Amino acid sequence: MGLKAVHFGGGNIGRGFVAEKLHLAGYEVVFVDVMDSIIEQLQKTKEYTVTEIGGEGEKVNKINNYRAINSKTHEADVIDEISTADLVTCAVGPNILKFIAPVIGKAIDKRTASKPIAVIACENAIGATDTLAGFIKDSKNTPPDRLSSINDRASFANSAIDRIVPGQDPNAGLNVKIESFYEWVVDKTPFAKEGHPEVSAIKWVDDLNPYIERKLFTVNTGHATAAYYGHARGKRTIHDALQDSEINKIVYDCLSETSHLIVKKHGISTEEQKAYVEKIVKRISNPYLEDVVERVGRAPLRKLSRKERFIGPASQLAESGDKIDALLGAIEQAFAFLDVKDDEESAELSKILKSTEAKEVVTKVCGLEESHPLFKQIVPIVERVQKNKK
């Protein structure tokens, strides 16, 4: 019997990154989603393309050997597929993990295979698999008397993913346009006994934290900084924003601050981190990606949360008294990303700023307690944005 992976999320990252790499590794991929239109397209279409865009040109991969199930209407089928699969992955968004946990929990409980299924969440969030596992192990999703033996049936591994998926052509259908560069790093320690799944695209490591923070505090911080300043100055794409010398310098200043943290905390050399920054700025500057600033900036509430790309590094740097001037500027631009079309979080942030006192905003949005050294630096930022909004 061949290798089988069940993947939750039929979106661009799911089809264009995770499923692509699993397909190339020889897996049959079973897509699971609740979106009728996506599932129907996948069921009716036997093949789609992933076009990788890089400085060296384009490369097209054809993806086939997949099936698709709507978990909203065919939950029992999803449970059956997971119960006999080698691997389950997801790219659904951190806020959706609690909704996919029940069906995964039921499927894991049903497994009788001698080797545990590998569970890897491929989300833009720190510790996403731990979060998913927490929901799965909840007594509502796994019987308490089966919890002590769950590791005999499933191995949960955190991952860090890095690949830019730009806005897609409106008539692309299932086809995905994506950058050629990628990084998919997974913690191998949960697989010490049975061995990890064979996926050549994955880099297996003993300590994932340096990779997670380096990626989040370089790629995501730089990308979002360019987006928020670009939006404020009327730029259309990230490439356009980074052609502005002032924005370009601000992005580098932010990454200089986060690099100081990464080098000091994780023992990465200054030279290696500097080269990584240069590579990242070059990547996000790619004009062929057509990366629209509003797409990159969307969901400002998540991006301003405690462990995310701005507050995460700024809070750690503030604790040690290090420079955070550029990060504070980027945080202000993120707070000013308000009432953007088709972005529910920017509308919600606007409501919060309108109805809530500044100190409470900092606690609610950024997750900072008043005693934290960053707190008093964020409050005047919020007050300025509130004043300008009136």
Side-chain angles (χ1 to χ4, degrees):
M1 188 173 169
L3 295 167
K4 180 172 74 174
V6 176
H7 175 77
F8 284 78
N12 294 328
I13 283 285
R15 299 195 314 279
F17 183 8
V18 182
E20 179 205 33
K21 297 307 178 187
L22 293 175
H23 169 77
L24 294 173
Y27 285 77
E28 177 193 26
V29 177
V30 180
F31 287 100
V32 178
D33 209 307
V34 295
M35 293 287 290
D36 297 339
S37 57
I38 287 284
I39 291 298
E40 287 169 9
Q41 277 186 284
L42 285 164
Q43 288 174 339
K44 292 175 181 176
T45 310
K46 296 304 179 188
E47 184 176 271
Y48 67 87
T49 61
V50 175
T51 302
E52 300 181 351
I53 304 165
E56 66 285 353
E58 295 186 356
K59 177 187 175 184
V60 179
N61 288 320
K62 294 180 178 180
I63 311 302
N64 47 41
N65 191 30
Y66 60 80
R67 291 178 286 121
I69 303 173
N70 190 325
S71 56
K72 186 171 57 178
T73 56
H74 292 74
E75 182 182 283
D77 292 344
V78 177
I79 291 170
D80 287 343
E81 294 290 353
I82 296 173
S83 68
T84 57
D86 302 279
L87 174 63
V88 60
T89 56
C90 65
V92 294
N95 296 333
I96 306 299
L97 295 174
K98 59 179 174 284
F99 298 115
I100 67 172
V103 68
I104 299 175
K106 290 174 187 175
I108 290 172
D109 196 57
K110 188 179 177 180
R111 283 180 69 82
T112 57
S114 58
K115 187 174 181 178
I117 189 171
V119 180
I120 304 172
C122 306
E123 307 291 346
N124 221 342
I126 293 174
T129 305
D130 285 345
T131 302
L132 176 60
F135 291 128
I136 290 170
K137 293 174 183 178
D138 186 283
S139 59
K140 295 193 297 290
N141 300 322
T142 298
D145 62 320
R146 298 279 285 166
L147 198 54
S148 61
S149 62
I150 193 171
N151 290 339
D152 295 334
R153 296 182 294 280
S155 299
F156 301 92
N158 285 313
S159 75
I161 60 166
D162 180 8
R163 201 175 201 185
I164 296 171
V165 183
Q168 302 295 307
D169 297 331
N171 299 317
L174 294 175
N175 299 333
V176 182
K177 182 171 63 175
I178 198 165
E179 73 163 332
S180 57
F181 176 91
Y182 73 90
E183 192 171 58
W184 188 1
V185 188
V186 180
D187 180 5
K188 71 178 180 183
T189 57
F191 305 107
K193 184 180 176 183
E194 302 287 346
H196 60 69
E198 290 302 318
V199 182
S200 58
I202 293 177
K203 180 176 183 177
W204 301 95
V205 299
D206 291 311
D207 183 5
L208 192 61
N209 285 332
Y211 294 91
I212 290 175
E213 288 208 332
R214 185 181 73 161
K215 184 262 177 176
L216 187 63
F217 299 165
T218 309
V219 182
N220 298 98
T221 302
H223 212 194
T225 299
Y228 291 134
Y229 275 99
H231 174 74
R233 299 190 182 191
K235 309 296 183 182
R236 192 179 76 84
T237 67
I238 298 298
H239 170 75
D240 296 337
L242 287 168
Q243 293 303 298
D244 183 307
S245 59
E246 288 185 11
I247 296 177
N248 189 286
K249 181 180 184 303
I250 290 167
V251 169
Y252 272 107
D253 287 346
C254 281
L255 298 186
S256 174
E257 293 172 0
T258 60
S259 290
H260 178 72
L261 173 66
I262 291 162
V263 168
K264 182 171 68 171
K265 183 176 179 180
H266 296 300
I268 295 170
S269 72
T270 303
E271 293 75 20
E272 182 184 343
Q273 178 60 17
K274 185 177 180 181
Y276 184 69
V277 167
E278 290 296 334
K279 178 170 71 174
I280 296 313
V281 174
K282 183 179 179 181
R283 280 176 57 206
I284 65 177
S285 302
N286 187 342
Y288 300 106
L289 288 175
E290 283 284 310
D291 223 357
V292 178
V293 296
E294 285 76 19
R295 188 201 72 81
V296 178
R298 70 187 174 195
L301 286 174
R302 177 169 62 84
K303 291 179 169 72
L304 283 165
S305 61
R306 184 65 174 82
K307 294 182 179 180
E308 262 283 349
R309 63 205 69 194
F310 295 123
I311 305 300
S315 61
Q316 295 180 60
L317 289 164
E319 287 166 9
S320 55
D322 287 308
K323 183 175 178 293
I324 54 171
D325 295 350
L327 283 168
L328 289 173
I331 289 166
E332 183 163 351
Q333 294 302 318
F335 267 110
F337 191 77
L338 304 171
D339 298 312
V340 175
K341 185 182 178 184
D342 298 327
D343 184 355
E344 291 180 7
E345 285 196 16
S346 73
E348 179 62 24
L349 178 57
S350 182
K351 290 178 185 175
I352 292 170
L353 290 170
K354 188 175 181 180
S355 62
T356 312
E357 188 261 341
K359 286 185 177 181
E360 190 181 338
V361 171
V362 177
T363 300
K364 183 175 183 177
V365 175
C366 304
L368 291 167
E369 59 278 7
E370 200 161 342
S371 59
H372 194 282
L374 183 60
F375 185 92
K376 63 180 181 293
Q377 300 185 70
I378 303 290
V379 171
I381 286 172
V382 172
E383 290 173 339
R384 275 197 302 275
V385 173
Q386 288 175 322
K387 184 179 178 182
N388 292 336
K389 183 173 164 37
K390 290 178 180 176

